[in-house]
Amino acid sequence: LQTRMQSLQPDPKARYRSVLEALRRMVLTEGLRRPFRGINVTVLGAGPAHALYFACYEKMKKSLSDRFQQGGNSHLANGNLWAQIPFAERCPCPPACPRAVVKQRLQMFNSPYRSVLSCVRTVHRTEGFGAFYRSYTTQLSMNVPFQALHFITYELLQEHLNPHRHYNPGSHIVAGAVAGAVAAAATTPLDVCKTLLNTQENLALSSLNIRGHLSGMANAFSTVYQLGGVSGFFKGVQARVIYQMPSTAIAWSVYEFFKYFLTKHALEKKT
């Protein structure tokens, strides 16, 4: 849904006025399974990505806590130190560009690709290996502010909802959902540019007489502005926020549960 609603020059059959209308028409005209296209690629990349994000997150919190509060292991170690981490260190792994390219091309309206392997082979054969990394700069530029806003917002909300940092599923879900929504809305312009670079929409490019393939963040920004003006940078913002809120809420609640479970288990073993 997010990829479709971020389409700058959609096919006449794929023009939707709202998220619910898009979902309803997609199911009615293309089948119940269509909204789940690309899920296998997403699942494959989500595990390693989140493992690296949270491992880096914990490592940096501990390092900064020890630096600013010698031997400090109070709830401040779980507090707002994330805001003091340099931007380059907040994003622990390079964005998975090939995964994003394949996922978004599978999710396009009337996608010609039958499977993940079919998409990979076709893109590699027709556009070359570099096609999987056209949006690398844009995606990296999006991931850094996204994760910065995401973690800072979560920590700020935890300071108010759960100041003693006990295991509290309700506060983790609410803070996670709000943090995801804020980060998603703020970085939507970059995500629209990334989607254009990953999908290389024929209708969008041909309408501006662009031959060949679009590449580079500057070209993507210029193309988006020419096609949709300022509002074009926020196409699909509603779908993006709706997608990110449950995603980040689940990620944080699962992370906090296992952190609590493993810590409790380790303490029980010691005693």
Side-chain angles (χ1 to χ4, degrees):
L1 275 176
Q2 181 186 323
T3 299
R4 287 190 173 207
M5 297 193 79
Q6 287 178 336
S7 183
L8 292 159
Q9 290 285 92
D11 187 286
K13 295 179 182 178
R15 288 178 181 166
Y16 316 112
R17 288 174 296 181
S18 67
V19 175
L20 285 176
E21 184 198 355
L23 182 60
R24 183 179 62 82
R25 283 179 56 189
M26 195 187 303
V27 171
L28 289 175
T29 59
E30 301 173 61
L32 189 62
R33 295 173 61 187
R34 184 66 183 184
F36 293 95
R37 287 210 75 183
I39 191 171
N40 46 355
V41 188
T42 303
V43 170
L44 282 172
H50 281 81
L52 285 167
Y53 277 127
F54 286 117
C56 177
Y57 172 67
E58 283 296 331
K59 175 64 177 175
M60 292 307 300
K61 279 201 305 184
K62 186 177 186 309
S63 298
L64 289 172
S65 177
D66 291 342
R67 185 186 305 172
F68 293 108
Q69 196 183 25
Q70 293 298 323
N73 210 15
S74 68
H75 83 276
L76 184 60
N78 292 318
N80 248 346
L81 295 173
W82 183 256
Q84 300 171 47
I85 303 175
F87 265 25
E89 296 177 24
R90 290 179 187 160
C91 189
C93 59
C97 279
R99 177 171 66 91
V101 171
V102 174
K103 176 177 75 75
Q104 292 193 308
R105 293 206 182 199
L106 286 169
Q107 292 172 341
M108 288 172 64
F109 176 77
N110 202 22
S111 174
Y113 310 108
R114 293 170 299 175
S115 65
V116 173
L117 285 176
S118 168
C119 182
V120 171
R121 287 170 182 162
T122 304
V123 172
H124 183 263
R125 185 179 68 252
T126 58
E127 300 177 44
F129 185 72
F132 294 106
Y133 289 90
R134 279 200 193 102
S135 68
Y136 180 84
T137 306
T138 305
Q139 194 162 341
L140 185 62
S141 300
M142 180 185 72
N143 275 20
V144 172
F146 177 90
Q147 296 301 340
L149 285 168
H150 178 195
F151 283 104
I152 290 170
T153 305
Y154 180 81
E155 291 292 355
L156 284 171
L157 287 170
Q158 282 293 290
E159 284 293 316
H160 293 285
L161 298 174
N162 187 17
H164 298 294
R165 301 305 174 104
H166 298 309
Y167 175 60
N168 185 336
S171 73
H172 304 320
I173 290 171
V174 171
V178 174
V182 170
T187 56
T188 296
L190 288 163
D191 197 55
V192 172
C193 294
K194 183 200 75 173
T195 298
L196 179 62
L197 289 169
N198 283 344
T199 59
Q200 299 290 319
E201 297 172 65
N202 288 327
L203 283 171
L205 301 184
S206 61
S207 67
L208 295 178
N209 296 317
I210 296 175
R211 296 182 180 180
H213 298 105
L214 196 68
S215 62
M217 186 164 63
N219 285 337
F221 265 90
S222 174
T223 304
V224 171
Y225 184 75
Q226 289 179 66
L227 287 166
V230 175
S231 62
F233 289 102
F234 291 92
K235 291 204 76 173
V237 63
Q238 186 182 10
R240 179 165 162 77
V241 168
I242 291 171
Y243 157 71
Q244 287 292 347
M245 285 183 74
S247 173
T248 48
I250 292 168
W252 278 109
S253 57
V254 171
Y255 160 75
E256 294 284 6
F257 167 75
F258 278 102
K259 182 179 174 182
Y260 165 75
F261 176 79
L262 293 172
T263 304
K264 183 180 178 183
H265 182 67
L267 288 171
E268 286 175 350
K269 280 187 71 176
K270 284 184 180 179
T271 55

